[in-house]
Amino acid sequence: MSPHRSVLILAALGCAAVFAACGSSGTNPAVSGAVGGTVPVAPTSTPPSVAVTPTPPPGTVIPTPVPTATVSTQQVITMALPQSVMGSTTSAFGIIGGYTQSGFSQTLAFAPGSQVMMRNGQAGIQHTLNVVSTTSFPALPALPFTASGGSTFDQNFTSGVINGGALIGPFTLTAGTYFVGCAFHYISNTMRTVMTVAVGATPGPQATPPGGTATPPPGGIGY
C-alpha cells in the first residue's frame, strides 16, 4: 500500500470517530423526558406570608378589657304593710294594699311569660306573697309560710318567708287572675292584692299614702 493511501484511510477513520463522539454527547429524550434534550425547570413557588404580631416594648402596660354591664329588664313586685308608706286603696276586688310594681299599693298586671323579682321593702318585718285563690279573697284562718311552685308563678305558688330588704326570684308568670296575700298579715292588716297576667293587662291606680308619711325612696326599700 502506498503511503498516500494509508494517510487517506487514517483520516477517514478519524472523522468517523469524531462523528461518533458527537452523537454520544446528546441528551437522551427518554431519560430527560423532554423533546430535543431540554430538561423542564420546575416553577419557583413563593412561600405564603406569615402575619407577625408585634411585641410591645418592655414596660408597656396593656389595659385589661372592661366587661360590659348587663342591665336587668326584670320587673319587681315590692311588698310592705299597707299601714306603712305603701297605703291601701279600694279596687274592683275590694280593699287592697301592701303590694306594688310602682311606688304605692295597687293591683298588679303583667304579660304572660314575664319574669319578676319579689322584694320585701320593709326592714325588720317578714312578708310572703301567696296565691290564695283565682276567684276572690277567701276568709282563710291561716296561710302557709313554706315556698311552693319553684320558679313558676301559677295558682299553687307561695313565695315562702321573705326577710326585710331581701330580693328573690326570678319567677316566670303563667296567664291567669291571682288573688294574693301575705301569710303574716293577710287577715290582721288586709295585706292583699290581685295580679292579672294577660296580654295587654295594666296595673291599677296607686293608693294615696297615709297622711304624714314620706314618699318611698327609689327601689321601694324603707317603707
Side-chain angles (χ1 to χ4, degrees), residues 168-194:
I168 65 172
F171 301 98
T172 303
L173 307 182
T174 304
T177 300
Y178 305 99
F179 290 74
V180 304
C182 174
F184 292 98
H185 309 104
Y186 177 71
I187 298 296
S188 61
N189 298 82
T190 319
M191 185 172 172
R192 60 187 69 177
T193 193
V194 176

Side-chain angles (χ1 to χ4, degrees), residues 68-112:
T68 303
T70 301
V71 179
S72 174
T73 58
Q74 292 166 344
Q75 301 174 84
V76 178
I77 298 172
T78 302
M79 58 196 75
L81 285 172
Q83 291 72 30
S84 68
V85 177
M86 184 80 76
S88 298
T89 188
T90 301
S91 70
F93 308 98
I95 296 176
I96 58 97
Y99 298 92
T100 185
Q101 63 192 85
S102 302
F104 304 103
S105 296
Q106 63 185 159
T107 55
L108 312 174
F110 301 96

Side-chain angles (χ1 to χ4, degrees), residues 29-201:
V31 175
S32 66
V35 178
T38 303
V39 178
V41 179
T44 303
S45 60
T46 303
S49 59
V50 179
V52 179
T53 302
T55 302
T60 302
V61 178
I62 301 175
T64 302
V66 178
T68 303
T70 301
V71 179
S72 174
T73 58
Q74 292 166 344
Q75 301 174 84
V76 178
I77 298 172
T78 302
M79 58 196 75
L81 285 172
Q83 291 72 30
S84 68
V85 177
M86 184 80 76
S88 298
T89 188
T90 301
S91 70
F93 308 98
I95 296 176
I96 58 97
Y99 298 92
T100 185
Q101 63 192 85
S102 302
F104 304 103
S105 296
Q106 63 185 159
T107 55
L108 312 174
F110 301 96
S114 297
Q115 288 193 324
V116 300
M117 305 293 288
M118 297 180 184
R119 172 170 48 209
N120 183 344
Q122 195 164 25
I125 299 180
Q126 295 176 319
H127 293 299
T128 74
L129 191 157
N130 293 13
V131 175
V132 298
S133 174
T134 58
T135 56
S136 63
F137 289 116
L140 299 174
L143 298 177
F145 295 95
T146 56
S148 66
S151 61
T152 300
F153 187 98
D154 58 19
Q155 61 184 358
N156 300 311
F157 179 85
T158 59
S159 68
V161 176
I162 306 174
N163 293 321
L167 180 70
I168 65 172
F171 301 98
T172 303
L173 307 182
T174 304
T177 300
Y178 305 99
F179 290 74
V180 304
C182 174
F184 292 98
H185 309 104
Y186 177 71
I187 298 296
S188 61
N189 298 82
T190 319
M191 185 172 172
R192 60 187 69 177
T193 193
V194 176
M195 181 191 300
T196 303
V197 181
V199 176

Side-chain angles (χ1 to χ4, degrees), residues 13-33:
L13 291 173
C15 289
V18 170
F19 283 119
C22 291
S24 64
S25 65
T27 303
N28 187 352
V31 175
S32 66

